[in-house]
Amino acid sequence: VHMGAVRSVNYNKDPSSQHILTASDDKTIKLWNVSKAWSHKSTGPSKLKYSWCVRAHNNWVRQAKFCPNDSLIASCSDDKTVRIWDCNHHGGNKATPKREALRTFSGHEAPVLCLDFEPTLGHSLVTADTKGIINLYDVRVDDSKAGLVQHYNQAHVDSIKSICFHPSGNYALSACRDGSMRIWDVREGRLLYSVFAHKKSVNDCAFSPDGKHFVSGGSDGLVMCWRSGLTTDPLTDDYDMNTDVVDYENNEVSNLENSAHHNQIREPPPPIPSQIKKPETSAPSQPIAIQKHNYQQQLGIGEKTRQAVLASGRRMNKLGEHEALQEQQTKAVARALEILEKRLRMNEDKVAQLEQSGLSTISS
């Protein structure tokens, strides 16, 4: 099938045309028509020949996915690029993807490990890399810089192993090697909340079809199902902070606030979902404002939404300045306390010396 490890497999969305997309360390992606295998009369395994193959990248291909209408393929690689492939090219009597990338996005400075298409229209693509950076692209824009809609610098402090869209397309879920998961509001470019439950790396995550739950799997051997508190209604922005978790190791459902396992995760213990802070106090990154180009209208982004994104960025900047001032004040207070403690110790030593000299005089 491939000459190296297969990193990713993905079914196309159209049930009438069953194809599988594979990505490998041999730097290629391949397309397979599995409908031929189901019609094969042999009782043994069927040997298929790929219908399309391309050397997609200059390094390992980490993931490849179809867009919602199967018209595009996206792939990401250790060569730090994300590439878009056109599946609507007609070669001969049947549709086959072109062997040249339709677009190449080079907005990452580290190997890109995961990606996902926005599930409603497929116009947006979210990607994440080993430096904890998340990018959001408009796949309809040819230019790499102009196509970058949002950039979350240090969205996580370690490699992001998995990322996926909410079924509404309004949110994205990222899973990190440090054991954390974060949900992002991609309409306004802000962090909604973070959860910490796995002792080790979170290797994969996914939303349920209705978006009310999400599941995570980690290197600690645990599979956990969470109540997201999100809605598929595009006009609603509410979410519930009382998140429950299903621990499939013990087949139990419990609130993390009362979970003994959760309280023993690490020192210091991570925050439980009921202690999760809202973006105004805990946003770890500052997404850039949407680029001021004509493609804003192509994205369907209204003026109110654009202003909300810009206002959110300004609030985060003010928050960073306030936190820096607080840190400076804390250091100054700590320094003053240290000086006072030294003076107090000196005074105590002098009093002890005077008392000792007084006792010596009396005894003589």
Side-chain angles (χ1 to χ4, degrees):
V1 178
H2 283 277
M3 300 299 292
V6 178
R7 297 279 179 176
S8 169
V9 293
N10 184 235
Y11 254 112
N12 71 322
K13 307 300 187 296
D14 183 7
S16 64
S17 174
Q18 298 184 4
H19 287 82
I20 290 177
L21 182 66
T22 59
S24 171
D25 286 357
D26 62 9
K27 309 174 186 177
T28 67
I29 55 178
K30 294 183 178 182
L31 192 64
W32 309 80
N33 186 353
V34 294
S35 59
K36 296 179 180 180
W38 309 144
S39 61
H40 200 277
K41 297 181 180 181
S42 174
T43 57
S46 302
K47 292 184 179 180
L48 292 178
K49 182 174 177 58
Y50 53 82
S51 57
W52 175 78
C53 174
V54 65
R55 183 184 173 92
H57 293 271
N58 298 323
N59 207 327
W60 293 355
V61 185
R62 292 288 185 167
Q63 195 168 27
K65 281 189 175 182
F66 289 101
C67 75
N69 62 3
D70 297 332
S71 62
L72 298 174
I73 292 172
S75 61
C76 60
S77 168
D78 281 7
D79 65 5
K80 307 175 186 178
T81 66
V82 177
R83 294 182 179 177
I84 307 299
W85 310 85
D86 185 4
C87 291
N88 288 331
H89 171 67
H90 292 271
N93 296 324
K94 56 184 180 180
T96 56
K98 290 183 179 180
R99 295 186 182 275
E100 294 182 0
L102 182 65
R103 295 175 187 90
T104 299
F105 297 125
S106 54
H108 287 275
E109 297 180 355
V112 187
L113 299 184
C114 48
L115 53 77
D116 194 30
F117 275 104
E118 186 272 323
T120 57
L121 298 175
H123 294 164
S124 299
L125 180 74
V126 64
T127 61
D129 65 25
T130 58
K131 286 188 176 181
I133 292 175
I134 295 175
N135 284 343
L136 185 70
Y137 295 99
D138 180 0
V139 297
R140 298 167 296 176
V141 180
D142 292 330
D143 183 74
S144 178
K145 292 183 179 180
L148 181 61
V149 180
Q150 292 178 0
H151 171 79
Y152 298 80
N153 189 33
Q154 292 184 343
H156 287 271
V157 298
D158 208 335
S159 297
I160 299 175
K161 305 297 288 292
S162 178
I163 195 163
C164 62
F165 267 106
H166 186 265
S168 67
N170 297 331
Y171 312 99
L173 170 64
S174 57
C176 182
R177 192 170 66 176
D178 66 359
S180 68
M181 289 176 289
R182 288 177 175 170
I183 288 186
W184 308 86
D185 186 335
V186 297
R187 298 171 302 174
E188 298 187 8
R190 65 188 178 101
L191 174 69
L192 277 184
Y193 60 84
S194 303
V195 291
F196 298 79
H198 289 274
K199 294 180 180 179
K200 298 181 180 180
S201 170
V202 186
N203 296 325
D204 204 1
C205 61
F207 278 107
S208 61
D210 61 5
K212 295 181 179 180
H213 299 83
F214 62 91
V215 65
S216 61
S219 296
D220 53 6
L222 296 178
V223 176
M224 295 186 179
C225 184
W226 306 76
R227 183 163 53 86
S228 69
L230 302 176
T231 175
T232 55
D233 184 359
L235 301 179
T236 304
D237 193 28
D238 298 331
Y239 58 96
D240 185 1
M241 303 302 290
N242 298 318
T243 305
D244 292 338
V245 61
V246 181
D247 187 345
Y248 283 99
E249 182 183 48
N250 300 314
N251 295 322
E252 296 177 352
V253 180
S254 61
N255 186 281
L256 286 186
E257 186 172 3
N258 302 318
S259 172
H261 165 73
H262 179 267
N263 294 333
Q264 299 175 358
I265 287 178
R266 57 171 73 88
E267 289 291 330
I272 58 178
S274 62
Q275 296 173 337
I276 295 168
K277 298 180 180 179
K278 292 187 177 180
E280 287 73 16
T281 58
S282 66
S285 62
Q286 298 182 10
I288 62 172
I290 294 178
Q291 306 290 329
K292 295 182 179 180
H293 295 289
N294 293 331
Y295 72 89
Q296 288 178 351
Q297 296 179 353
Q298 296 174 359
L299 288 169
I301 297 174
E303 180 64 19
K304 292 184 178 180
T305 302
R306 188 181 72 84
Q307 292 297 335
V309 174
L310 295 175
S312 176
R314 288 193 293 268
R315 288 197 302 270
M316 292 181 188
N317 288 333
K318 291 181 180 179
L319 174 62
E321 294 174 359
H322 180 66
E323 290 178 346
L325 179 60
Q326 282 187 333
E327 184 178 358
Q328 291 178 358
Q329 292 174 347
T330 302
K331 289 181 179 180
V333 171
R335 179 60 180 168
L337 290 175
E338 184 180 354
I339 293 173
L340 289 175
E341 289 177 357
K342 288 183 178 179
R343 291 180 178 178
L344 181 60
R345 285 197 296 269
M346 292 173 61
N347 290 335
E348 290 176 350
D349 292 341
K350 288 182 179 180
V351 170
Q353 290 177 1
L354 291 173
E355 290 178 350
Q356 186 66 28
S357 62
L359 291 175
S360 301
T361 302
I362 292 172
S363 61
S364 60

